[in-house]
Amino acid sequence: MSVSGALFTTGLAVVASVITAFVTARLQASAELRKWQQDIKLSYAQAASTDVELARQIATQFAIGFVKFIDTDDRKRFFIPANIRMTLGRDPACDIVISDSRASWKHSSLQSDNAAVYVEDFGTTNGTFVNDKRVDKKVRLADKDIIRIGDMRLQYWSLMKKPA
């Protein structure tokens, strides 16, 4: 191989490495920005959930649904933005803490896309139920579905506009 051929090959490799590094950095920055935006939306919506009118405004802008405990005095709403995964369980680090001894530390999750919310059990012994049916795979929630973990019940409310 000639010197000029070796220089050309080396130069091409350097250019390819620079392009790869640039594209990788842009993709990571974009993913981090989306995660940050979702975290801000979720935190703000949950913090404002005690102010019903403000919560409605925030929910309309960012969330596709929310859940709230029923049969308790806890009136807090947990808003669910699009494209997020929220954990439910006894662990204080969970997004929604379930205060029931039959709930696992990390029990189940609520996941959303741009149009729907799903519940999924993490293979727990006591299970997760939707409308009194045990969940054995990811299940799409409908408006006013009841999610039960132990004796704790949450109701799902969709904020997606219904087709006319």
Side-chain angles (χ1 to χ4, degrees):
M1 177 182 269
S2 68
V3 173
S4 63
L7 287 175
F8 177 75
T9 302
T10 302
L12 190 59
V14 168
V15 168
S17 294
V18 168
I19 290 172
T20 301
F22 176 76
V23 169
T24 302
R26 293 291 300 213
L27 289 173
Q28 287 174 340
S30 178
E32 287 175 16
L33 177 61
R34 280 192 305 277
K35 183 180 180 331
W36 175 80
Q37 288 171 333
Q38 288 176 352
D39 289 347
I40 293 295
K41 291 173 188 175
L42 179 63
S43 297
Y44 187 55
Q46 287 179 342
S49 65
T50 55
D51 180 340
V52 176
E53 185 53 37
L54 183 57
R56 266 195 203 108
Q57 293 170 6
I58 293 168
T60 301
Q61 293 176 15
F62 302 121
I64 63 171
F66 67 90
V67 293
K68 68 178 187 171
F69 287 104
I70 53 179
D71 303 328
T72 70
D73 292 334
D74 188 353
R75 298 184 62 189
K76 184 174 182 182
R77 297 173 186 162
F78 299 91
F79 288 93
I80 307 164
N83 302 309
I84 199 164
R85 180 179 175 143
M86 300 171 70
T87 56
L88 294 86
R90 286 193 345 253
D91 184 352
C94 285
D95 298 298
I96 301 174
V97 177
I98 305 296
S99 301
D100 188 295
S101 61
R102 287 177 287 176
S104 296
W105 202 242
K106 298 247 192 268
H107 196 94
S108 58
S109 70
L110 294 173
Q111 302 167 50
S112 62
D113 56 25
N114 286 325
V117 175
Y118 305 85
V119 66
E120 184 174 22
D121 186 79
F122 291 154
T124 61
T125 302
N126 295 321
T128 301
F129 296 81
V130 174
N131 300 327
D132 292 323
K133 291 183 181 176
R134 188 174 181 130
V135 170
D136 58 358
K137 59 181 172 138
K138 188 161 75 169
V139 173
R140 184 178 180 153
L141 294 174
D143 192 37
K144 299 187 179 98
D145 275 351
I146 305 293
I147 303 161
R148 182 174 57 81
I149 298 173
D151 284 332
M152 300 299 292
R153 297 187 318 149
L154 298 108
Q155 189 165 28
Y156 169 71
W157 296 83
S158 175
L159 296 170
M160 299 298 292
K161 293 185 179 178
K162 310 283 187 272

